[in-house]
Amino acid sequence: VNFPCLNTSAPCTVGAATACPLTNVQIGTGTLTTFPNPTPFMGLWEDGRFQMLFRASELQAMNINQGILNSMALNIPTVNSDNGYASFSIKMKCTTTNSLVVGAFEGGTTVVYTNALYNPVAGWNVFNFTGPYVYDGVSNLLVEICYDNTEWSSDDNVESTATTFPASASYDQDGIAGCTTPSSEEVYNFRPNVRFDYSESVNPNNYTYSWAPPTGLSNPNIKNPTLNAVVGSTTYTVTVTTLNGL
């Protein structure tokens, strides 16, 4: 039994780097860059925290299943700010949350990218993660972006697409700690277009194996059993089942 790309890291964490082949997948094709589009780069305010939600069904429709996310990108057609975004970070989380609401930001996220001072560029801004984020393929995916400036400048709008549910939430203000501000003040039925560098990969520990017949096998319930000497010709069949029974 051979898998095209193995990743034995725990799901919904940052894992070890792999040599898995990557596919660039874009979610969202809208071109809206004016209000009420949400943008994580609200440079008109000194500080900001932004969360966006991708439902598992949306990811699966784009063939993002169990696998790793190596980077993400956001499209800024025109850069208006002039002082960058300090203490800039991106975090991710597998979640059961189905829509975002005004109120407490969701916690428990994992840092995948940091930059002491991020200066955006016109076009697609690519954020290469410190390590691949291991997506479990069944949860919704939460992405958080935040920054803490000491001066304000101008907004940098990103291309966004309308959603059928509140998929973005934000809070922007001066003189606060943007990355730890506790609650959102706005939600949007829009979400920034995102490109993920994705590789479908599997953790062999998430599967059970059943070889039939078991004759001559060292263990009929492991991935690659050893075949001992058998008399005659025997055809073996293996059934591989995920932990959730598929």
Side-chain angles (χ1 to χ4, degrees):
V1 179
N2 294 310
F3 294 115
C5 185
L6 296 181
N7 191 301
T8 57
S9 301
C12 305
T13 63
V14 173
T18 72
C20 299
L22 298 170
T23 301
N24 193 261
V25 181
Q26 181 171 330
I27 300 179
T29 57
T31 57
L32 180 68
T33 57
T34 57
F35 188 82
N37 79 302
T39 178
F41 302 97
M42 216 52 148
L44 188 61
W45 300 95
E46 293 177 358
D47 311 290
R49 187 176 182 183
F50 180 90
Q51 292 188 339
M52 54 182 163
L53 181 70
F54 300 86
R55 289 179 175 172
S57 57
E58 296 179 286
L59 299 173
Q60 292 162 2
M62 299 302 295
N63 294 316
I64 294 181
N65 301 294
Q66 179 179 313
I68 58 174
L69 303 172
N70 259 29
S71 70
M72 63 172 283
L74 299 166
N75 190 15
I76 303 176
T78 303
V79 174
N80 299 305
S81 64
D82 59 13
N83 60 355
Y85 295 86
S87 301
F88 183 88
S89 72
I90 300 176
K91 305 171 186 176
M92 287 187 166
K93 179 186 179 182
C94 296
T95 181
T96 57
T97 298
N98 216 37
S99 297
L100 299 182
V101 298
V102 171
F105 281 114
E106 184 156 348
T109 52
T110 297
V111 175
V112 296
Y113 176 90
T114 61
N115 195 319
L117 180 63
Y118 182 72
N119 291 292
V121 297
W124 285 96
N125 289 248
V126 179
F127 306 97
N128 294 308
F129 298 160
T130 54
Y133 186 79
V134 184
Y135 174 58
D136 65 4
V138 294
S139 299
N140 299 332
L141 181 66
L142 183 80
V143 178
E144 176 175 306
I145 299 174
C146 66
Y147 64 93
D148 289 298
N149 281 346
T150 56
E151 297 179 354
W152 59 270
S153 178
S154 298
D155 295 340
D156 296 308
N157 291 312
V158 299
E159 286 193 334
S160 299
T161 300
T163 56
T164 59
F165 61 96
S168 301
S170 66
Y171 186 84
D172 305 282
Q173 190 54 266
D174 292 339
I176 63 170
C179 290
T180 57
T181 188
S183 301
S184 64
E185 62 179 351
E186 298 281 351
V187 294
Y188 311 84
N189 280 50
F190 291 87
R191 184 180 57 217
N193 301 341
V194 174
R195 286 180 178 173
F196 289 112
D197 262 347
Y198 162 76
S199 178
E200 187 168 4
S201 81
V202 295
N203 184 337
N205 297 323
N206 292 339
Y207 294 80
T208 61
Y209 309 89
S210 178
W211 291 86
T215 306
L217 297 179
S218 60
N219 186 336
N221 301 121
I222 62 175
K223 177 172 173 279
N224 290 314
T226 300
L227 178 64
N228 300 316
V230 294
V231 177
S233 176
T234 304
T235 299
Y236 291 89
T237 302
V238 60
T239 301
V240 182
T241 306
T242 64
L243 294 184
N244 60 4
L246 298 178

